Amino acid sequence: MVAAARPAPSAPSTPSTPSTPSTPSTPSTPSTPSVYREVALPQGTVRYRDEGTGPALVFIHGILANSTLWRDVIPLMRGSFRCIAPDLPLGGHPYPMRPDADQTPRGVSRLLADFLEALDLRDVTLVGNDTGGAICQVTIARHPARIARLVLTNCDAYEAFFPWSISVFHHGARLFGARFVDALAWVLRARAVQHTFLWAVAARRMDAATLDAYFGPFLRAAGVRRDLTRFLATVSNRYTLDAARAFPDFQRPVLIVWGRNDMFFPARYAVRLQRDFPDATLTFVSPSRAFVPEDQPDALARHISAFMGATADA
């Protein structure tokens, strides 16, 4: 059972602690709380951004991020689409989940399916980035009923969940648990470290408000860090490889928009994804690192809009 969605209260102020792009767009200020709502799910309360009317686009972020990631894409699309961006329990969410919530990748996928059901969303287009792309893959494999289309930007896939270069996040959480994640939070209190962390995934330089929107919940709440610890400790490519076995059965349109300047998710994964889905289109954007919604929001919105138009009768 889920409670009716309700407007979210104003978020508490974030601690004052701690990329202008080379060509990508200038950062905008994160949205005011008035665009947020919340819904009670069996796993806990989920806050989400909900704007516009029309066919539903549901935007899924990755670890240590939240709906802030999509703040420049949604305004470009809300005139024609209902744009919904939940804050999944991946370290940037404002409300800790219940202690017994399943925080495995499969459990977060179940939460996403419950979220779509709670909002009674049908014929949904899932749009995933980073870890959120892996969650989308697991969702279309295990809970495909409400999904009409899939859009993937640079993300974990196949053997790379996580890529070896960031596998320390999994191994640290698995071996040391909360001590590792608390140490990560201590390091991320420094603004310089926050900038460096995001520099690895986005060319544009974030302003203070955006940094606080991304990292504030993680720095503030032990329950949020607990949720992330449990997720990181259970990350395994068995989830993405299992999902990939279902790709040939996903007979619905897929769009892959891949940043060419990514340090973590090479283009070969995009090519492989296009090959393995029966009806997939691949386009590359540049300059862009892993966070395509940060570096190329205009191009991403344009490609999604064209894709939605071309597949309207699919």
Side-chain angles (χ1 to χ4, degrees):
M1 297 292 292
V2 294
R6 57 190 183 274
S10 298
S13 57
T14 52
S16 171
T17 4
S19 278
T20 84
S22 27
T23 16
S25 42
T26 5
S28 66
T29 302
S31 302
T32 58
S34 60
V35 304
Y36 289 107
R37 300 178 67 81
E38 59 187 40
V39 62
L41 301 178
Q43 300 86 346
T45 298
V46 171
R47 188 183 71 166
Y48 63 99
R49 179 172 179 161
D50 190 349
E51 297 184 65
T53 57
L57 304 176
V58 178
F59 297 90
I60 307 301
H61 61 81
I63 61 168
L64 288 170
N66 48 41
S67 54
T68 299
L69 179 68
W70 308 101
R71 70 193 180 284
D72 290 333
V73 177
I74 289 176
L76 300 172
M77 308 204 70
R78 63 191 173 197
S80 302
F81 305 99
R82 183 180 178 190
C83 298
I84 300 166
D87 292 334
L88 296 183
L90 299 176
H93 54 301
Y95 308 127
M97 295 294 100
R98 294 174 181 162
D100 61 348
D102 183 352
Q103 279 294 116
T104 65
R106 198 166 284 168
V108 176
S109 168
R110 173 76 260 180
L111 180 147
L112 175 55
D114 289 344
F115 176 80
L116 300 180
E117 182 180 0
L119 271 61
D120 194 25
L121 297 173
R122 302 173 189 276
D123 297 322
V124 167
T125 299
L126 283 183
V127 184
N129 174 256
D130 191 47
T131 324
I135 298 301
C136 289
Q137 293 165 50
V138 176
T139 302
I140 61 119
R142 300 185 66 83
H143 312 286
R146 294 174 181 268
I147 314 303
R149 298 171 194 80
L150 175 66
V151 178
L152 294 175
T153 62
N154 300 46
C155 63
D156 302 83
Y158 302 109
E159 296 80 14
F161 188 32
F162 290 137
W164 69 267
S165 53
I166 58 170
S167 61
V168 63
F169 289 100
H170 163 66
H171 295 300
R174 184 175 62 83
L175 294 173
F176 302 107
R179 287 179 296 163
F180 170 78
V181 174
D182 286 345
L184 178 62
W186 182 81
V187 171
L188 279 169
R189 290 187 178 278
R191 278 287 193 234
V193 177
Q194 293 176 10
H195 279 298
T196 302
F197 187 94
L198 287 174
W199 170 86
V201 291
R204 61 194 287 191
R205 185 176 175 83
M206 312 298 166
D207 60 20
T210 302
L211 293 173
D212 286 339
Y214 274 132
F215 296 113
F218 178 69
L219 299 180
R220 252 191 330 262
V224 169
R225 295 193 295 275
R226 176 206 65 202
D227 292 343
L228 179 62
T229 301
R230 292 166 61 200
F231 179 82
L232 292 176
T234 59
V235 161
S236 167
N237 63 21
R238 73 176 184 271
Y239 294 108
T240 42
L241 290 170
D242 180 63
R245 284 189 278 275
F247 290 172
D249 299 325
F250 190 73
Q251 302 286 330
R252 299 161 201 177
V254 175
L255 172 66
I256 302 160
V257 183
W258 213 262
R260 280 198 178 275
N261 313 106
D262 190 347
M263 303 177 189
F264 304 109
F265 306 116
R268 68 176 180 272
Y269 288 114
V271 173
R272 192 171 165 188
L273 286 163
Q274 182 192 25
R275 181 197 68 198
D276 289 350
F277 281 109
D279 182 11
T281 301
L282 169 62
T283 185
F284 290 99
V285 292
S286 183
S288 179
R289 296 178 187 165
F291 276 17
V292 177
E294 287 283 6
D295 284 343
Q296 293 288 347
D298 294 337
L300 180 58
R302 186 170 64 252
H303 286 303
I304 295 174
S305 295
F307 170 67
M308 295 295 289
T311 61
D313 298 325

mmCIF file of all heavy atoms in Angstrom, residues 19-45:
data_model
loop_
_atom_site.group_PDB
_atom_site.id
_atom_site.type_symbol
_atom_site.label_atom_id
_atom_site.label_comp_id
_atom_site.label_asym_id
_atom_site.label_seq_id
_atom_site.Cartn_x
_atom_site.Cartn_y
_atom_site.Cartn_z
ATOM 1 N N SER A 19 31.495 22.236 -12.913
ATOM 2 C CA SER A 19 32.652 22.318 -13.439
ATOM 3 C C SER A 19 32.339 23.234 -14.448
ATOM 4 O O SER A 19 31.348 23.597 -14.501
ATOM 5 C CB SER A 19 32.940 20.951 -13.692
ATOM 6 O OG SER A 19 33.309 19.929 -13.310
ATOM 7 N N THR A 20 32.259 26.297 -15.015
ATOM 8 C CA THR A 20 31.991 26.556 -16.393
ATOM 9 C C THR A 20 32.620 25.497 -17.241
ATOM 10 O O THR A 20 33.779 25.171 -17.124
ATOM 11 C CB THR A 20 32.608 27.838 -16.920
ATOM 12 O OG1 THR A 20 33.876 27.644 -17.286
ATOM 13 C CG2 THR A 20 32.188 29.015 -16.333
ATOM 14 N N PRO A 21 31.885 24.970 -18.050
ATOM 15 C CA PRO A 21 32.356 23.974 -18.972
ATOM 16 C C PRO A 21 33.268 24.566 -20.034
ATOM 17 O O PRO A 21 33.291 25.749 -20.250
ATOM 18 C CB PRO A 21 31.057 23.489 -19.613
ATOM 19 C CG PRO A 21 30.076 24.558 -19.325
ATOM 20 C CD PRO A 21 30.552 25.358 -18.209
ATOM 21 N N SER A 22 34.013 23.725 -20.708
ATOM 22 C CA SER A 22 34.801 24.208 -21.816
ATOM 23 C C SER A 22 33.907 24.677 -22.938
ATOM 24 O O SER A 22 34.147 25.671 -23.552
ATOM 25 C CB SER A 22 35.730 23.115 -22.308
ATOM 26 O OG SER A 22 35.195 21.869 -22.039
ATOM 27 N N THR A 23 32.871 23.927 -23.212
ATOM 28 C CA THR A 23 31.817 24.395 -24.095
ATOM 29 C C THR A 23 30.437 24.073 -23.593
ATOM 30 O O THR A 23 29.505 24.686 -24.005
ATOM 31 C CB THR A 23 31.948 23.816 -25.523
ATOM 32 O OG1 THR A 23 32.805 22.749 -25.496
ATOM 33 C CG2 THR A 23 32.232 24.818 -26.527
ATOM 34 N N PRO A 24 30.291 23.098 -22.723
ATOM 35 C CA PRO A 24 28.958 22.798 -22.251
ATOM 36 C C PRO A 24 28.284 23.982 -21.596
ATOM 37 O O PRO A 24 28.930 24.954 -21.277
ATOM 38 C CB PRO A 24 29.182 21.683 -21.240
ATOM 39 C CG PRO A 24 30.502 21.122 -21.548
ATOM 40 C CD PRO A 24 31.281 22.187 -22.223
ATOM 41 N N SER A 25 26.986 23.847 -21.362
ATOM 42 C CA SER A 25 26.192 24.965 -20.883
ATOM 43 C C SER A 25 26.526 25.406 -19.475
ATOM 44 O O SER A 25 27.138 24.682 -18.731
ATOM 45 C CB SER A 25 24.727 24.589 -20.938
ATOM 46 O OG SER A 25 24.569 23.303 -20.502
ATOM 47 N N THR A 26 26.100 26.625 -19.152
ATOM 48 C CA THR A 26 26.359 27.187 -17.826
ATOM 49 C C THR A 26 25.448 26.573 -16.782
ATOM 50 O O THR A 26 24.304 26.281 -17.051
ATOM 51 C CB THR A 26 26.047 28.693 -17.826
ATOM 52 O OG1 THR A 26 25.497 29.023 -19.063
ATOM 53 C CG2 THR A 26 27.233 29.517 -17.490
ATOM 54 N N PRO A 27 25.933 26.400 -15.547
ATOM 55 C CA PRO A 27 25.100 25.782 -14.534
ATOM 56 C C PRO A 27 23.925 26.665 -14.156
ATOM 57 O O PRO A 27 24.011 27.877 -14.182
ATOM 58 C CB PRO A 27 26.046 25.623 -13.340
ATOM 59 C CG PRO A 27 27.417 25.875 -13.857
ATOM 60 C CD PRO A 27 27.264 26.690 -15.088
ATOM 61 N N SER A 28 22.840 26.039 -13.796
ATOM 62 C CA SER A 28 21.698 26.781 -13.276
ATOM 63 C C SER A 28 21.549 26.464 -11.802
ATOM 64 O O SER A 28 22.127 25.521 -11.303
ATOM 65 C CB SER A 28 20.422 26.375 -14.016
ATOM 66 O OG SER A 28 20.122 25.035 -13.740
ATOM 67 N N THR A 29 20.770 27.283 -11.113
ATOM 68 C CA THR A 29 20.530 27.037 -9.700
ATOM 69 C C THR A 29 19.517 25.922 -9.539
ATOM 70 O O THR A 29 18.543 25.871 -10.273
ATOM 71 C CB THR A 29 19.984 28.316 -9.043
ATOM 72 O OG1 THR A 29 20.946 29.339 -9.258
ATOM 73 C CG2 THR A 29 19.778 28.135 -7.569
ATOM 74 N N PRO A 30 19.715 24.994 -8.588
ATOM 75 C CA PRO A 30 18.734 23.938 -8.376
ATOM 76 C C PRO A 30 17.351 24.498 -8.079
ATOM 77 O O PRO A 30 17.209 25.591 -7.538
ATOM 78 C CB PRO A 30 19.292 23.190 -7.160
ATOM 79 C CG PRO A 30 20.755 23.462 -7.201
ATOM 80 C CD PRO A 30 20.893 24.852 -7.752
ATOM 81 N N SER A 31 16.339 23.726 -8.434
ATOM 82 C CA SER A 31 14.967 24.190 -8.340
ATOM 83 C C SER A 31 14.551 24.466 -6.903
ATOM 84 O O SER A 31 15.054 23.885 -5.967
ATOM 85 C CB SER A 31 14.026 23.139 -8.906
ATOM 86 O OG SER A 31 14.360 22.872 -10.229
ATOM 87 N N THR A 32 13.597 25.359 -6.751
ATOM 88 C CA THR A 32 13.017 25.627 -5.444
ATOM 89 C C THR A 32 12.176 24.435 -5.022
ATOM 90 O O THR A 32 11.713 23.657 -5.843
ATOM 91 C CB THR A 32 12.123 26.873 -5.515
ATOM 92 O OG1 THR A 32 11.120 26.640 -6.507
ATOM 93 C CG2 THR A 32 12.927 28.097 -5.884
ATOM 94 N N PRO A 33 11.924 24.261 -3.708
ATOM 95 C CA PRO A 33 11.191 23.091 -3.236
ATOM 96 C C PRO A 33 9.774 22.974 -3.786
ATOM 97 O O PRO A 33 9.169 21.923 -3.689
ATOM 98 C CB PRO A 33 11.169 23.296 -1.714
ATOM 99 C CG PRO A 33 12.331 24.184 -1.420
ATOM 100 C CD PRO A 33 12.449 25.083 -2.620
ATOM 101 N N SER A 34 9.217 24.045 -4.366
ATOM 102 C CA SER A 34 7.826 24.001 -4.816
ATOM 103 C C SER A 34 7.601 22.995 -5.939
ATOM 104 O O SER A 34 6.478 22.566 -6.171
ATOM 105 C CB SER A 34 7.379 25.391 -5.285
ATOM 106 O OG SER A 34 8.189 25.816 -6.353
ATOM 107 N N VAL A 35 8.666 22.588 -6.668
ATOM 108 C CA VAL A 35 8.484 21.621 -7.747
ATOM 109 C C VAL A 35 8.535 20.191 -7.226
ATOM 110 O O VAL A 35 8.379 19.257 -7.997
ATOM 111 C CB VAL A 35 9.535 21.809 -8.858
ATOM 112 C CG1 VAL A 35 9.508 23.217 -9.403
ATOM 113 C CG2 VAL A 35 10.930 21.440 -8.372
ATOM 114 N N TYR A 36 8.772 20.001 -5.936
ATOM 115 C CA TYR A 36 8.916 18.671 -5.377
ATOM 116 C C TYR A 36 7.637 18.190 -4.708
ATOM 117 O O TYR A 36 6.876 18.960 -4.132
ATOM 118 C CB TYR A 36 10.057 18.637 -4.349
ATOM 119 C CG TYR A 36 11.424 18.762 -4.967
ATOM 120 C CD1 TYR A 36 12.151 19.946 -4.839
ATOM 121 C CD2 TYR A 36 11.987 17.705 -5.668
ATOM 122 C CE1 TYR A 36 13.409 20.061 -5.415
ATOM 123 C CE2 TYR A 36 13.243 17.821 -6.235
ATOM 124 C CZ TYR A 36 13.946 18.987 -6.106
ATOM 125 O OH TYR A 36 15.191 19.108 -6.675
ATOM 126 N N ARG A 37 7.433 16.876 -4.812
ATOM 127 C CA ARG A 37 6.373 16.196 -4.087
ATOM 128 C C ARG A 37 7.001 14.988 -3.404
ATOM 129 O O ARG A 37 8.193 14.707 -3.593
ATOM 130 C CB ARG A 37 5.245 15.784 -5.036
ATOM 131 C CG ARG A 37 4.604 16.969 -5.756
ATOM 132 C CD ARG A 37 3.523 16.534 -6.722
ATOM 133 N NE ARG A 37 2.373 15.968 -6.051
ATOM 134 C CZ ARG A 37 1.397 16.698 -5.495
ATOM 135 N NH1 ARG A 37 1.450 18.024 -5.541
ATOM 136 N NH2 ARG A 37 0.379 16.120 -4.900
ATOM 137 N N GLU A 38 6.217 14.265 -2.640
ATOM 138 C CA GLU A 38 6.740 13.051 -2.029
ATOM 139 C C GLU A 38 5.653 11.998 -1.961
ATOM 140 O O GLU A 38 4.458 12.314 -1.991
ATOM 141 C CB GLU A 38 7.311 13.334 -0.638
ATOM 142 C CG GLU A 38 6.330 13.926 0.335
ATOM 143 C CD GLU A 38 6.984 14.356 1.644
ATOM 144 O OE1 GLU A 38 8.108 14.907 1.602
ATOM 145 O OE2 GLU A 38 6.357 14.147 2.703
ATOM 146 N N VAL A 39 6.081 10.747 -1.909
ATOM 147 C CA VAL A 39 5.141 9.634 -1.872
ATOM 148 C C VAL A 39 5.687 8.590 -0.895
ATOM 149 O O VAL A 39 6.905 8.361 -0.818
ATOM 150 C CB VAL A 39 4.934 9.031 -3.283
ATOM 151 C CG1 VAL A 39 6.218 8.460 -3.849
ATOM 152 C CG2 VAL A 39 3.830 7.986 -3.273
ATOM 153 N N ALA A 40 4.809 7.995 -0.127
ATOM 154 C CA ALA A 40 5.184 6.948 0.820
ATOM 155 C C ALA A 40 5.102 5.597 0.119
ATOM 156 O O ALA A 40 4.051 5.213 -0.396
ATOM 157 C CB ALA A 40 4.274 6.977 2.038
ATOM 158 N N LEU A 41 6.203 4.891 0.100
ATOM 159 C CA LEU A 41 6.292 3.554 -0.479
ATOM 160 C C LEU A 41 6.580 2.549 0.638
ATOM 161 O O LEU A 41 6.943 2.945 1.754
ATOM 162 C CB LEU A 41 7.411 3.508 -1.516
ATOM 163 C CG LEU A 41 7.301 4.474 -2.699
ATOM 164 C CD1 LEU A 41 8.516 4.323 -3.612
ATOM 165 C CD2 LEU A 41 6.021 4.250 -3.472
ATOM 166 N N PRO A 42 6.455 1.263 0.384
ATOM 167 C CA PRO A 42 6.788 0.280 1.425
ATOM 168 C C PRO A 42 8.216 0.429 1.951
ATOM 169 O O PRO A 42 8.490 0.131 3.115
ATOM 170 C CB PRO A 42 6.607 -1.061 0.696
ATOM 171 C CG PRO A 42 5.608 -0.780 -0.373
ATOM 172 C CD PRO A 42 5.879 0.621 -0.823
ATOM 173 N N GLN A 43 9.126 0.917 1.108
ATOM 174 C CA GLN A 43 10.532 1.053 1.515
ATOM 175 C C GLN A 43 10.799 2.334 2.306
ATOM 176 O O GLN A 43 11.817 2.445 2.977
ATOM 177 C CB GLN A 43 11.430 1.038 0.275
ATOM 178 C CG GLN A 43 11.344 -0.216 -0.562
ATOM 179 C CD GLN A 43 10.208 -0.169 -1.596
ATOM 180 O OE1 GLN A 43 9.308 0.685 -1.527
ATOM 181 N NE2 GLN A 43 10.243 -1.079 -2.550
ATOM 182 N N GLY A 44 9.913 3.332 2.188
ATOM 183 C CA GLY A 44 10.112 4.616 2.836
ATOM 184 C C GLY A 44 9.565 5.739 1.968
ATOM 185 O O GLY A 44 8.964 5.497 0.916
ATOM 186 N N THR A 45 9.780 6.964 2.390
ATOM 187 C CA THR A 45 9.277 8.124 1.658
ATOM 188 C C THR A 45 10.270 8.537 0.580
ATOM 189 O O THR A 45 11.470 8.672 0.835
ATOM 190 C CB THR A 45 9.036 9.299 2.622
ATOM 191 O OG1 THR A 45 8.030 8.915 3.571
ATOM 192 C CG2 THR A 45 8.557 10.535 1.873
#
